[in-house]
Amino acid sequence: MTSPLRAMWDAPAAAPPPPRRVWRDWALIAVIPVTAVLEGLARPELPWVWLWVIVLIAVVPTLLWRRTHPLPMLAIAFAVTAVVTAVTGGDAQLVTTAYLLLLIYAVVRWGSGRAMALGAAIVAASFLLSLLLGPVLLGDLIGSVAVLAMTSSLGVAFRWRAAARARELDRVKLLEREQLARDLHDTVAHHVSAIAIQAQAGTAVAATDPDAAARVLRVIEGEASRTLAEMRSIVRVLRREDAPETTAPSAGIADLRRLAQPGSGGPAVEVQLSGDVDAIPPTVAATVYRLAQEGVTNARRHARNATRVDVRVHADEAGIRLDVRDDGDVAASVASGAFAASATPGYGITGMTERATLLGGTCEAGPAAGGGWAVTAVLPRAGWST
């Protein structure tokens, strides 16, 4: 059995991977040197003040790589400051040194278990060096430990929250893939059953017209093989046969009319279908329904001051397009946090995008140009031909 310490040592780096540099990183690089110089001018009585100002400015670039290489950046910064501390015989008393806490936070937030353990050892060694070089007041000691503990706790908290969100997003994607697998299975199974019936009929007439029956059977055999191969290539998830909804028929274009039923105090929904919507195969029809249902549900729950939700479905030779739009006040909804999940994006938007992508299409959601919130999905014809 693996011990807790061994498990922590072998823990991987945080997932998802760290983001790229943003404008805030460059702002830090620009502001910290200026702050260090201003503090040096304001506190000339401190020993070795300008040496510390130069050192603190020299290690500022480590902040640019603190997410992708947290442990090396921490080691560089603390090694340089430890050498200067040993040479000068004391710590820097500049408040600007507080930015080094960002390196500690980065190791805990983004580093692996090994990086966190080695980073803790580096920080502890630097702290011990400060104690050996001179007396430290008990209050300062307690305050330093409290600050380090708070920084590490923040890193752990944000790391845990990001991991929990990643797991939830994976779960949503898995559920969408599973539902799509059921829809695809039902569609292909229907065609395979029809092919089997034709094969039986061909066998029945084989005695009176052997050549015709043989040709029909060869065509049926080839079509059945292609259908099964397509099903195996698309369905990449396991189907839970014990789920109670497995035997339920998939919703389709005809079911879109049910979305127009008035909700409890929500905005009115109008559904408009155009083009050859009857020719849409069940697999894509189920996807269109699920996307429209999610869009209408989000509008009813989150659209502030909305009085109307328009659902438009158009099918032509190029493919099928779905538009769901409400006339709510997006600014009020975002300010109150109602659309926070969708803007992040949230789990509903993630599931919609995943489902459309699996069919080779796209799905976008966001504030509409003329006001309100819009969901737009486009599925190519190649994604719903059977």
Side-chain angles (χ1 to χ4, degrees), residues 287 291 351-363 377-380:
T287 298
L291 298 181
M352 295 166 70
T353 304
E354 180 76 7
R355 192 176 184 91
T357 302
L358 289 174
L359 288 183
T362 60
C363 181
V378 179
L379 300 176

Side-chain angles (χ1 to χ4, degrees), residues 221-294:
E221 180 184 6
E223 184 65 25
S225 299
R226 285 191 295 270
T227 303
L228 290 174
E230 181 181 358
M231 181 184 69
R232 294 190 183 100
S233 65
I234 297 178
V235 180
R236 303 182 185 276
V237 295
L238 294 176
R239 179 181 180 185
R240 296 187 305 181
E241 295 291 347
D242 57 342
E245 65 273 18
T246 298
T247 57
S250 301
I253 297 298
D255 298 296
L256 287 172
R257 301 292 183 185
R258 295 185 303 179
L259 299 177
Q261 297 177 356
S264 55
V269 179
E270 180 179 340
V271 179
Q272 180 178 339
L273 309 177
S274 60
D276 191 12
V277 294
D278 294 333
I280 301 177
T283 299
V284 178
T287 298
V288 173
Y289 176 80
R290 298 299 182 191
L291 298 181
Q293 183 185 44
E294 183 70 21

